Amino acid sequence: MTASALLVAVPATAADLHLTLRTQSSGGSIAVAVYANAEDFRASRNPVATRVVPASGGATSVTISGLAPGRYAVGAFHDADGNGELTLWPIGLPREAYGFSRNARGRFGPPAFEGAAFDLPAEGTRQAITLR
C-alpha cells in the first residue's frame, strides 16, 4: 500500500435518529436535545443536536440526521407556554411534560446517562419517548 492510498478521504458515516414523542396535549412546541456523554447529559449542556418542533398532540415525529454512529441519550420537553424553557414549580419540580430516551426516569433530576443511553448504528435507529 502506498502512502498516497492512505491519504484518500473516506466518506464520513452519518446516521438518522427517528424520534416519536408522545404528549397528552397539543399546542406549544417540543424541544429535543441529543447528548453524547454523561457529563453533558446530566448538566443539560453541549448537546450534539437540538430541534424545536410544533407539538401536534398525540405523537410528534422528529428526525435528526447526520449524527455519527455512537452512544447517545435524548432529553425532551413540551414547551406548552412558549417561553423556550422547561417551566418549574416554585419547589423546583417541572410544570411541563418531559421525558428521556428509553423512557428512563430519574429521581430528583434527570436519569443517569446509562439509563437513557442507546446505540445509534450507521443504519440509524428509532426511539419513542413519552413526555409526562
Side-chain angles (χ1 to χ4, degrees):
M1 186 181 265
T2 67
S4 62
L6 294 174
L7 297 176
V8 174
V10 176
T13 303
D16 292 343
L17 173 58
H18 304 280
L19 300 172
T20 301
L21 305 152
R22 292 183 172 78
T23 59
Q24 293 187 359
S25 59
S26 59
S29 58
I30 296 178
V32 177
V34 180
Y35 299 94
N37 64 64
E39 296 79 25
D40 289 337
F41 176 73
R42 188 76 180 157
S44 297
R45 67 170 186 239
N46 302 321
V48 296
T50 60
R51 298 291 184 277
V52 177
V53 296
S56 58
T60 300
S61 296
V62 179
T63 298
I64 300 174
S65 299
L67 293 171
R71 193 148 179 82
Y72 296 97
V74 174
F77 73 93
H78 183 186
D79 186 13
D81 61 12
N83 70 352
E85 299 176 352
L86 177 62
T87 302
L88 304 175
W89 291 102
I91 60 172
L93 296 174
R95 266 184 112 157
E96 296 174 306
Y98 65 95
F100 301 95
S101 44
R102 296 182 53 207
N103 283 317
R105 301 300 281 179
R107 291 183 58 149
F108 307 108
F113 180 78
E114 285 307 314
F118 59 91
D119 292 319
L120 177 65
E123 61 272 11
T125 194
R126 295 182 179 281
Q127 283 285 314
I129 301 172
T130 300
L131 306 181
R132 307 172 221 204

